[in-house]
Amino acid sequence: MKVNPQDPNQASLFMSNSPALEVKKAVHSEEQLNSELARLAEDTYHKNQHQEPDPTYNKSMTIVSNHVLTTPEIEKKALLRNSTAMFNLYMPGGEVSQSVEKMFSQYDEIMAEIRSKQPELFSKDWGISMNQSGELEITGQLSNDEKAFILEKLNANEDFVSAAKDFRSSFLAHLDFGTMGWSDYEVNESNFSTVFDLKEILNNSQGGEDFKKAWNKDFSWLELNDNISAQLKRNAEKKLPSF
């Protein structure tokens, strides 16, 4: 049969017997293009863009800092501690000055007794120190018998020995809390005996006539401070700066 596509009857028959036609969108349709551009935008590496590396250690980690934040209360306590230390180190009513003054008040009596027994000792060079155990020691170029004799006279005076121990303990206790001055020097229990000669301190704590008139006593805390400073400068190492 001759097919005439323009015949309505034959056209319907033709369409019913033909397989269905599927209309596909063009590969480069606008929708597909936009989708592809979006994907590329996500995958594209930009040179100046920060790229987070993959973690190589995924366990939890604790970070500890040694930096201590200060507060007004901490600063107030530090200021009070510093002012207390400065008072006890340098001032006439402080612990250092009072302990040396107690030694000073016993010193003349002890020296008078030594002079009456062995006057030749006063022409010799010797000193008095306190060791790490808190015991008095005699230094200098003396015989063992001479050292033992002087030490016996010192230890017999309990007030002197007690005051000497108070001087060492109060000086060391307040030194680390002070600022500048004596606190610049490295002094501790182990080297205290090599830094301070108590005999030199006591021999140089006598006030002059003007001081005696003003303070009505022989012991001078000003002379004491000068001698402590001199012995520190001569016998102690300065502390290393802390950063």
Side-chain angles (χ1 to χ4, degrees):
M1 182 179 68
K2 185 179 181 179
V3 178
N4 184 3
Q6 295 183 359
D7 186 344
N9 293 325
Q10 290 187 7
S12 60
L13 178 62
F14 174 80
M15 294 180 63
S16 63
N17 293 331
S18 301
L21 296 176
E22 182 179 355
V23 179
K24 295 183 178 180
K25 293 182 179 180
V27 174
H28 299 295
S29 66
E30 183 179 353
E31 181 181 349
Q32 187 176 2
L33 181 61
N34 291 337
S35 175
E36 189 69 12
L37 288 175
R39 184 184 67 80
L40 290 173
E42 293 176 355
D43 294 343
T44 300
Y45 173 77
H46 298 282
K47 181 178 180 181
N48 296 328
Q49 182 177 343
H50 176 69
Q51 300 292 311
E52 292 292 340
D54 293 334
T56 57
Y57 186 80
N58 58 8
K59 291 186 178 181
S60 60
M61 182 171 56
T62 302
I63 299 176
V64 179
S65 172
N66 292 327
H67 180 66
V68 179
L69 295 178
T70 185
T71 65
E73 183 178 356
I74 293 176
E75 291 181 355
K76 183 177 180 180
K77 288 182 178 179
L79 182 61
L80 177 60
R81 190 167 52 189
N82 175 258
S83 60
T84 300
M86 301 295 277
F87 173 81
N88 282 305
L89 287 172
Y90 301 106
M91 300 306 292
E95 293 177 1
V96 168
S97 178
Q98 288 186 333
S99 61
V100 176
E101 187 171 5
K102 289 178 182 177
M103 279 193 288
F104 186 84
S105 65
Q106 304 297 320
Y107 184 66
D108 284 345
E109 180 181 339
I110 297 172
M111 291 297 104
E113 187 173 0
I114 292 174
R115 185 187 293 273
S116 66
K117 302 291 184 180
Q118 295 191 29
E120 68 277 6
L121 290 176
F122 279 79
S123 61
K124 296 182 178 182
D125 185 18
W126 55 275
I128 306 170
S129 65
M130 178 167 282
N131 63 26
Q132 192 169 352
S133 300
E135 300 172 336
L136 295 176
E137 292 183 342
I138 305 303
T139 62
Q141 300 299 317
L142 300 179
S143 67
N144 290 335
D145 289 342
E146 290 173 328
K147 290 181 178 180
F149 169 74
I150 297 172
L151 194 57
E152 179 185 357
K153 298 305 178 183
L154 293 175
N155 286 329
N157 191 311
E158 295 181 358
D159 290 338
F160 182 89
V161 175
S162 177
K165 291 180 178 180
D166 288 343
F167 166 62
R168 188 184 75 149
S169 62
S170 60
F171 185 88
L172 295 178
H174 297 294
L175 190 66
D176 287 340
F177 298 113
T179 54
M180 300 181 296
W182 299 347
S183 296
D184 286 343
Y185 292 91
E186 191 68 53
V187 184
N188 48 56
E189 290 184 354
S190 63
N191 71 351
F192 188 88
S193 62
T194 61
V195 173
F196 290 118
D197 178 0
L198 302 184
K199 181 171 178 283
E200 180 182 333
I201 286 178
L202 295 168
N203 286 340
N204 290 277
S205 293
Q206 181 83 26
E209 292 301 321
D210 291 340
F211 183 90
K212 292 177 182 179
K213 291 179 180 179
W215 290 82
N216 195 30
K217 60 181 180 180
D218 293 336
F219 173 77
S220 170
W221 60 278
L222 294 174
E223 298 296 333
L224 165 66
N225 287 1
D226 286 345
N227 186 258
I228 289 178
S229 297
Q231 292 202 52
L232 284 170
K233 185 176 181 180
R234 187 170 68 245
N235 302 324
E237 297 289 337
K238 280 209 168 187
K239 293 179 179 177
L240 295 175
S242 56
F243 300 98

